[in-house]
Amino acid sequence: MTESIISFQKVNKWYGNNFHVLRDIDLDVARGERIVVCGPSGSGKSTLIRCINRLEEHQEGTLRVDGVELSDDVKAIEAIRKQVGMVFQQFNLFPHLTVLENLTLAPMWVGKLPRAEAEERAMQQLKRVRISEQALKYPLQLSGGQQQRVAIARALCLTPKIMLFDEPTSALDPEMIKEVLDVMIELAGQGMTMICVTHEMGFAKAVANRVIFMDQGQIVEQAPPHQFFDNPQSERTKDFLSKIL
Ligand code: ADP
Ligand code: MG
């Protein structure tokens, strides 16, 4: 068995003193694995993936990413953030910067890349998400689907080993969902380690090695997609699937 790139061991997290949001999370993700996380609203999906790059901190248990244990150590957090790209439901692009400037900002100022190299890398990633012709536009001049592809390209510009997606298509009009999912499917085909919170079950069937179902801060069930959808074990999973399928 190859070493896990992400490893949760008995991870617990509370918001404030008494809201227990993650309960005894055990989860190992292998390099190149593609995981879809689903579950009802408020079940802790965003919190789970936000712990991976320390946008949220856990209080108990051990969380290792690419061999580094997440703690208060700022150097460790920085090291991990370099390896982990994240894409949110709201695209979080800077509206006053062009698409190209959105993509070169972090590589130039965090990665210390010279402008010419940062721009070259940005154009490669824009090509990868098939939007290079929009490089000089401003985000709000683009459709939602285009903006989300820019957000994916921006994350890829930091050459992450892991990509986290938090409901990347939930804010999109239906006709734009496919263009974003297609880019994610391509990324999966290129061997990227991915964790995607999504209720796009067609996507889960197409790319996931594993589907994880969360409810009330726990991983209730996990299985390869065909097994998960065709033969869910827990009543909570069955109930959830009956509502979304
Ligand atoms: P999901 O992504 O599955 O909808 P979240 O991880 O966003 O769930 O949230 C899980 C629970 O934690 C929800 O009840 C939410 O209201 C609560 N929560 C999320 N963020 C915070 C926060 N910063 N402070 C307090 N409670 C929070
Ligand atoms: Mg969420």
Side-chain angles (χ1 to χ4, degrees):
M1 162 130 184
T2 52
E3 190 209 337
S4 313
I5 190 163
I6 301 170
S7 176
F8 287 78
Q9 286 171 343
K10 288 256 171 295
V11 168
N12 283 278
K13 173 174 177 57
W14 289 260
Y15 283 121
N17 288 328
N18 45 29
F19 185 64
H20 197 173
V21 63
L22 294 180
R23 297 167 182 259
D24 286 339
I25 299 290
D26 284 314
L27 174 63
D28 277 276
V29 180
R31 267 172 220 282
E33 205 178 356
R34 300 173 300 275
I35 292 183
V36 161
V37 181
C38 62
S41 179
S43 56
K45 308 179 296 297
S46 295
T47 304
L48 176 85
I49 65 168
R50 290 166 68 88
C51 283
I52 296 170
N53 59 358
R54 199 73 172 180
L55 291 179
E56 297 291 352
E57 56 185 73
H58 60 284
Q59 283 85 35
E60 280 182 8
T62 318
L63 175 48
R64 277 198 191 80
V65 180
D66 201 25
V68 178
E69 182 172 345
L70 274 173
S71 64
D72 292 331
D73 178 0
V74 177
K75 284 240 165 1
I77 296 172
E78 280 177 4
I80 285 167
R81 288 193 180 152
K82 282 192 185 137
Q83 310 295 346
V84 183
M86 184 145 185
V87 174
F88 303 88
Q89 178 175 345
Q90 304 299 340
F91 327 120
N92 295 350
L93 298 170
F94 294 109
H96 60 294
L97 298 180
T98 64
V99 164
L100 188 64
E101 288 164 346
N102 265 280
L103 268 64
T104 55
L105 192 66
M108 282 173 63
W109 299 107
V110 183
K112 308 286 181 214
L113 221 55
R115 178 181 298 275
E117 263 177 66
E119 288 186 348
E120 189 185 329
R121 189 187 284 183
M123 290 310 298
Q124 283 168 2
Q125 297 306 336
L126 286 174
K127 211 176 262 172
R128 195 169 175 188
V129 302
R130 290 186 295 279
I131 203 164
S132 46
E133 70 287 356
Q134 313 285 0
L136 299 180
K137 288 198 179 159
Y138 288 88
L140 296 177
Q141 296 175 297
L142 307 181
S143 73
Q146 289 174 323
Q147 288 184 62
Q148 192 57 302
R149 285 186 284 142
V150 171
I152 294 171
R154 178 174 63 175
L156 292 172
C157 279
L158 291 167
T159 58
K161 290 185 184 163
I162 300 165
M163 284 286 282
L164 307 175
F165 293 87
D166 195 356
E167 304 206 36
T169 60
S170 300
L172 299 177
D173 290 333
E175 73 272 21
M176 291 170 192
I177 291 176
K178 184 171 181 298
E179 67 188 53
V180 171
L181 293 180
D182 283 348
V183 164
M184 292 168 62
I185 290 169
E186 255 178 60
L187 208 53
Q190 293 158 2
M192 180 67 78
T193 305
M194 294 166 68
I195 303 186
C196 309
V197 176
T198 181
H199 293 158
E200 291 292 335
M201 294 303 148
F203 172 78
K205 286 179 186 165
V207 312
N209 307 96
R210 220 183 331 164
V211 182
I212 287 178
F213 173 68
M214 284 187 75
D215 194 17
Q216 297 178 17
Q218 289 176 309
I219 294 178
V220 174
E221 183 160 352
Q222 47 181 319
H226 61 92
Q227 197 178 319
F228 182 83
F229 292 110
D230 299 343
N231 193 15
Q233 300 297 304
S234 103
E235 286 309 315
R236 287 196 266 175
T237 313
K238 288 179 199 169
D239 181 54
F240 174 75
L241 289 175
S242 74
K243 286 175 184 147
I244 64 156
L245 292 181

